[in-house]
Amino acid sequence: MFDTAMTLNDVMFLAQGAGMTILVTLIAVVCGTVLGIIFGVVRYQVGPVWAAPLTFFLDVFRSIPLLIQLVLTFAFIGTVMKIRISGFSVACLVLTLYTSAYCAEIVRGAIESVPPTLRRASRSLGMTWGQDMRHIVLPLATRVAFPSWIGLALSVMKDSALVYVVQVTELLKSTQILITRLQEPLFLLMICGAFYFLISFPIARIGGYLERRWSND
């Protein structure tokens, strides 16, 4: 018979870690999506030459591993700038910029997928740039971008496991703490994986449902 030293308090400790994972992910995805939409529209609208500085900035966050970004940002703000900042704030800041860099590329590609003939037709009907974007471009681009955005949100949720390096006790860090104390790595990692599944499965299913519904409209 399987026996474990794990108690209800340990399960609650893991649940708190899962809550921190959800909170960091939610802040990063919401704020990163807003910035990503702005960056993506700007990149598309001004063209590759004028958008070169912004493109370089976003490429930095897409190219450098997230772990390095977290460590360097935490060290730079605390050591070089002499600003006292919590690891949670650094985690949210870095993950937000990381998310916005990928979301901007998704948005730019989705806007470019809208047929130019539709945009010319809207202009010929007297629509302004804002009306064209709001009523024609963004609704069509959203359908194209949505599956990639769901994948990005799930990726950010899993990448949030790296925020332990800035002293944030999320789900994986909580699991590691219990492994050190209880010495039951396989069992605890299975529970950790179950928590991640419970977080990500509803997002994936809702995303799939909306995608199928839009494709049938």
Side-chain angles (χ1 to χ4, degrees):
M1 183 176 178
F2 179 75
D3 188 22
T4 178
M6 191 174 185
T7 65
L8 180 60
N9 288 334
D10 296 328
V11 176
M12 295 303 298
F13 182 64
L14 287 178
Q16 291 175 357
M20 179 60 69
T21 293
I22 294 173
L23 179 60
V24 171
T25 302
L26 185 63
I27 293 174
V29 170
V30 172
C31 297
T33 298
V34 173
L35 288 176
I37 292 173
I38 296 172
F39 293 156
V41 171
V42 169
R43 283 194 61 195
Y44 172 79
Q45 194 63 32
V46 304
V49 176
W50 290 104
L54 176 60
T55 301
F56 175 78
F57 172 78
L58 298 177
D59 284 342
V60 169
F61 284 93
R62 284 201 300 266
S63 303
I64 299 176
L66 181 59
L67 181 64
I68 297 177
Q69 293 182 37
L70 288 164
V71 173
L72 290 180
T73 302
F74 191 55
F76 180 78
I77 294 177
T79 304
V80 179
M81 299 182 66
K82 305 295 184 181
I83 298 175
R84 296 186 64 180
I85 187 171
S86 66
F88 175 78
S89 299
V90 171
C92 291
L93 173 64
V94 173
L95 274 173
T96 293
L97 294 175
Y98 177 80
T99 304
S100 69
Y102 282 95
C103 186
E105 193 65 23
I106 293 173
V107 171
R108 183 195 60 79
I111 293 176
E112 288 183 348
S113 70
V114 177
T117 53
L118 289 178
R119 305 205 65 184
R120 287 195 293 267
S122 66
R123 292 303 179 89
S124 67
L125 292 173
M127 286 187 176
T128 64
W129 179 86
Q131 291 173 331
D132 175 41
M133 292 294 294
R134 185 169 66 253
H135 298 296
I136 304 298
V137 177
L138 291 183
L140 294 175
T142 299
R143 298 191 179 199
V144 176
F146 188 73
S148 298
W149 180 84
I150 288 292
L152 174 62
L154 292 174
S155 177
V156 171
M157 186 271 294
K158 290 180 285 188
D159 289 340
S160 68
L162 297 174
V163 301
Y164 76 91
V165 299
V166 291
Q167 303 172 10
V168 176
T169 307
E170 41 66 59
L171 179 55
L172 186 59
K173 181 62 176 179
S174 301
T175 304
Q176 291 172 339
I177 293 173
L178 290 182
I179 288 175
T180 302
R181 183 165 63 83
L182 301 178
Q183 295 298 308
E184 298 177 2
L186 293 179
F187 178 61
L188 288 169
L189 287 174
M190 288 175 61
I191 295 178
C192 178
F195 269 108
Y196 275 113
F197 176 78
L198 291 175
I199 296 171
S200 60
F201 183 75
I203 299 174
R205 291 302 91 200
I206 292 173
Y209 167 76
L210 292 176
E211 185 180 356
R212 290 191 301 271
R213 182 173 179 179
W214 284 345
S215 64
N216 293 329
D217 288 344

